[in-house]
Amino acid sequence: MRLANKMKMLTAMTAAALLALSGCGSSGGASDTSAAASEDGMVIGALLPLTGTLAYLAPPEVAAIKLAISDINDAGGVLDKPVTEVEADTSDGEHADQNTSAAQSVLSKHPSVVIGPAASGVVKNVYKSIVAEKVPVISMASTSMSLSGMDPYFFRTVAPDAVQGAVMGDLIAGDGVKKLAIACFNDEYGTGMRDVILEKLKDAGVDVVYGEKDAFDPAETNYSSIATAIKNSGADGTLIISYDQATPLIKSLASAGVDTHKLYLVDGNTVDYSKTYDKGMLKGSKGTIPGAHVDDAFFKALEGTGTKISDTTYAAETYDAVILSALAAEQGGATNGETIQKNLASVSGADGGEKCDSFKACKALIKDKKKIQYSGKTGIGAFNKNNDPSSANIGIYEYDDNNVNVFQDMQSGDVPTE
């Protein structure tokens, strides 16, 4: 252990040695994890979709964690010690065994906090084993409504589907769509988002002509029958709720003669398709992504980590999750999970405080014994009683002639707590 090198008293050295033995050789109880994190300095655990149907989201998340840790360490670290990171690949919700093994791999390194997972279904598969160790989980991308208030140790820096669903419903109705088809995958995120949007469209004069109850298997590979059914439904707009299943699905829709200029995509699939489809194929289609629009300076900083990125979806949410956890440790005076959990809401602004927009600036205020309100890259409000952001922004994007999702507008909304 690093701390042991600094000990001068024999009794302290013995205690440190015993602590190391208990952390490595025990069954991994909550006290072991918390003690190890407190003694060794802050360890960021990351559960990321490096493979699977959400793998295209991993690069900006990886870059954001690297950038956040670099910014923290450049400002002197947490409690005057450098922050380190361990990560593991969860894949997606269709790989439950890998979800579990990834969580156990990260837990074995005694993290102070776990950033991720990205998918709601994966969160459901792993969160209990993590919070049992009194390690907080901060997801940057899981939006299912069912996760709200799920556990005192579960937080997220992304708004639940109630906010994005409301914006999407308004977008569809506002565009004058009269007959809507919905291609939705059967997943915690997929059906949850669909139900929110359906509720919003109930009194908007939009008739759902396909997909109100049907949902396809996330492992589906042949979408021709779905595309044919959507074409035959007479829909004048198609909503796709999925992850990267959208890529072959859109190709099938085009082959079936569905208008691919009138598609509506959600955060799971609103990505750059410039290298995927023929030029102009998606021109005019629209999508929504939670979070503030990433500016050029932040994008360049992400690129500066050495991670190749073409998209910034959930980069801001990931960055802020790391910064908030570090500030919680700094304010609480310890890097164990219990301390971080107790201080997360406070540093997010739940108790008021002076606004600050960087780890360095916020850390200085904490050292001056001041309350803080971290105002980060996402523009989210302070954590509410469900540990969700109390308010959030939803970006609206439109595809150009190169099939690139171009930012158009920003809508904001409060997050319900019931």
Side-chain angles (χ1 to χ4, degrees):
M1 296 177 67
R2 290 194 296 263
L3 186 61
N5 295 328
K6 300 179 181 180
M7 293 296 182
K8 297 179 180 180
M9 300 296 293
L10 179 60
T11 55
M13 290 178 65
T14 302
L18 287 173
L19 177 61
L21 287 172
S22 65
C24 297
S26 74
S27 60
S31 60
D32 296 331
T33 301
S34 296
S38 181
E39 293 293 333
D40 281 350
M42 189 166 187
V43 179
I44 302 294
L47 292 176
L48 304 171
L50 304 178
T51 59
T53 57
L54 275 176
Y56 64 96
L57 291 180
E61 293 168 355
V62 169
I65 291 173
K66 288 182 179 179
L67 178 61
I69 291 176
S70 175
D71 288 347
I72 292 166
N73 288 338
D74 285 348
V78 172
L79 302 175
D80 300 322
K81 292 182 180 180
V83 174
T84 57
E85 183 239 0
V86 295
E87 67 181 44
D89 176 19
T90 60
S91 189
D92 53 38
E94 295 302 296
H95 296 82
D97 288 345
Q98 187 167 338
N99 300 168
T100 303
S101 63
Q104 292 306 311
S105 174
V106 166
L107 280 175
S108 71
K109 305 299 193 303
H110 307 300
S112 307
V113 64
V114 169
I115 307 301
S120 299
V122 179
V123 169
K124 284 288 187 72
N125 287 340
V126 305
Y127 85 95
K128 288 183 180 179
S129 65
I130 301 171
V131 302
E133 303 288 341
K134 295 193 180 301
V135 174
V137 176
I138 311 178
S139 178
M140 66 304 223
S142 60
T143 59
S144 171
M145 295 289 290
S146 67
L147 303 182
S148 293
M150 181 173 63
D151 190 278
Y153 275 76
F154 176 75
F155 296 77
R156 51 184 168 183
T157 51
V158 62
D161 290 332
V163 183
Q164 184 181 185
V167 171
M168 177 57 79
D170 286 341
L171 180 61
I172 292 170
D175 282 350
V177 174
K178 297 300 181 184
K179 295 182 178 181
L180 179 70
I182 302 175
C184 168
F185 69 159
N186 190 14
D187 174 269
E188 178 88 18
Y189 161 72
T191 56
M193 174 71 81
R194 178 190 62 187
D195 292 345
V196 171
I197 295 172
L198 286 173
E199 184 65 27
K200 184 66 177 180
L201 293 176
K202 187 181 295 182
D203 301 317
V206 179
D207 183 21
V208 178
V209 295
Y210 175 84
E212 184 173 4
K213 296 181 179 179
D214 295 327
F216 61 84
D217 189 326
E220 182 62 70
T221 57
N222 187 340
Y223 298 96
S224 59
S225 62
I226 295 173
T228 299
I230 290 175
K231 174 62 178 177
N232 293 339
S233 71
D236 56 349
T238 302
L239 168 65
I240 301 176
I241 307 175
S242 71
Y243 297 141
D244 73 349
Q245 295 92 344
T247 300
L249 173 56
I250 291 172
K251 289 180 180 179
S252 292
L253 291 172
S255 297
V258 174
D259 188 354
T260 56
H261 307 294
K262 291 287 288 183
L263 302 181
Y264 294 89
L265 308 177
V266 291
D267 57 307
N269 50 42
T270 301
V271 295
D272 182 344
Y273 290 109
S274 58
K275 298 180 180 179
T276 308
Y277 306 125
D278 293 338
K279 188 174 182 178
M281 183 169 160
L282 295 181
K283 185 176 183 180
S285 287
K286 298 179 180 180
T288 53
I289 302 176
H293 182 57
V294 171
D295 60 28
D296 289 341
F298 186 50
F299 184 80
K300 289 180 180 178
L302 291 169
E303 286 188 313
T305 65
T307 306
K308 185 177 181 180
I309 60 172
S310 60
D311 187 84
T312 58
T313 305
Y314 296 126
E317 287 76 9
T318 306
Y319 181 90
D320 282 355
V322 177
I323 298 297
L324 281 165
S325 63
L327 290 172
E330 189 75 33
Q331 177 172 281
T335 61
N336 61 74
E338 291 176 276
T339 298
I340 292 171
Q341 187 271 342
K342 290 176 182 177
N343 286 273
L344 273 169
S346 176
V347 297
S348 76
D351 299 328
E354 190 170 337
K355 287 189 176 182
C356 46
D357 62 4
S358 69
F359 176 80
K360 183 177 181 179
C362 293
K363 179 181 178 180
L365 292 174
I366 290 172
K367 285 187 176 297
D368 288 339
K369 308 300 183 183
K370 294 181 180 179
K371 288 185 178 181
I372 67 165
Q373 180 177 348
Y374 173 64
S375 300
K377 306 296 185 182
T378 59
I380 58 175
F383 289 124
N384 62 23
K385 68 178 184 179
N386 290 329
N387 294 339
D388 290 332
S390 55
S391 61
N393 298 307
I394 305 295
I396 298 174
Y397 296 76
E398 183 170 327
Y399 282 89
D400 65 11
D401 196 49
N402 292 314
N403 302 319
V404 174
N405 50 320
V406 180
F407 175 76
Q408 298 293 314
D409 192 15
M410 185 75 69
Q411 300 291 327
S412 61
D414 294 332
V415 177
T417 55
E418 300 296 340

